[in-house]
Amino acid sequence: MMTEERTLMLVKPDGVASGHVGDVITRIENRRFKITAIRTLTASPEELRVHYQQLVGKSFYSGIEDFMTSGPIVAMIISGSDVVESIRKMTGPTDPAEAPAGTIRGDFARGWGDGPIQNVVHSSDSIESAEREIKIWFPDEK
Ligand SMILES: Nc1ncnc2c1ncn2[C@@H]1O[C@H](COP(=O)(O)OP(=O)(O)OP(=O)(O)O)[C@@H](O)[C@H]1O
């Protein structure tokens, strides 16, 4: 049985700067998922270190930090049946050059190659990650 669950999506600075917030929201709503919270913010290095805790030690982490703090992002809580896996599929693979047409990254990412991967959105990879990440970006949510 499919259970109601929630996930976290971030429209990253490249997605906001290139004007794809509306496209991303439309895709979510077209799939009948509900956006139950949304906010625009500029991430702090401290918040990002918690969010990307598994990547903090990597050589490319400083590039991720510079990129993710370079401009506003839009954070959303999305609810629905099987939403974590569905939104991951809609997001597409990490590297936009490998992301198929029809995925958010495949359709909207502009830049890849050297430097941090600018791939338009983040989405939680499990129910546990989603609940952990929601606390970071929506500290007042239950
Ligand atoms: N080898 C790398 N070089 C540069 N940037 C990277 C690299 N690997 C990951 N990143 C950046 O860090 C982010 C998080 O990496 P992760 O492995 O969690 O991928 P993901 O789950 O597809 O992405 P996200 O967590 O943003 O949804 C990537 O989206 C990308 O922006």
Side-chain angles (χ1 to χ4, degrees):
M1 199 187 77
M2 290 203 288
T3 51
E4 192 78 3
E5 57 191 42
R6 56 188 194 160
T7 194
L8 177 90
M9 177 166 265
L10 302 176
V11 185
K12 297 184 180 188
D14 60 326
V16 175
S18 58
H20 290 305
V21 175
D23 292 310
V24 170
I25 288 174
T26 297
R27 287 180 184 216
I28 294 165
E29 292 185 326
N30 284 348
R31 291 290 294 263
R32 310 286 188 268
F33 293 126
K34 299 290 179 220
I35 297 166
T36 54
I38 184 166
R39 61 186 286 243
T40 300
L41 66 132
T42 301
S44 70
E46 293 72 26
E47 287 167 324
L48 276 180
R49 276 197 289 274
V50 182
H51 178 85
Y52 281 134
Q53 59 180 19
Q54 338 81 294
L55 299 178
V56 170
K58 305 268 189 201
S59 58
F60 53 82
Y61 184 74
S62 66
I64 295 178
E65 182 179 289
D66 290 347
F67 165 55
M68 288 295 290
T69 59
S70 67
I73 67 177
V74 174
M76 292 180 262
I77 303 174
I78 309 165
S79 301
S81 291
D82 221 15
V83 70
V84 173
E85 194 187 338
S86 296
I87 294 287
R88 282 293 277 189
K89 283 189 185 143
M90 289 165 65
T91 294
T94 307
D95 182 350
E98 289 171 14
T103 63
I104 292 169
R105 288 169 169 169
D107 291 348
F108 301 135
R110 304 273 173 88
W112 55 88
D114 290 344
I117 298 172
Q118 304 200 0
N119 52 12
V120 191
V121 289
H122 159 80
S123 55
S124 308
D125 63 8
S126 67
I127 293 175
E128 295 71 32
S129 302
E131 293 302 319
R132 189 184 75 80
E133 293 167 3
I134 284 168
K135 288 195 183 76
I136 302 168
W137 304 107
F138 294 92
D140 297 335
E141 286 289 321
K142 286 268 165 359

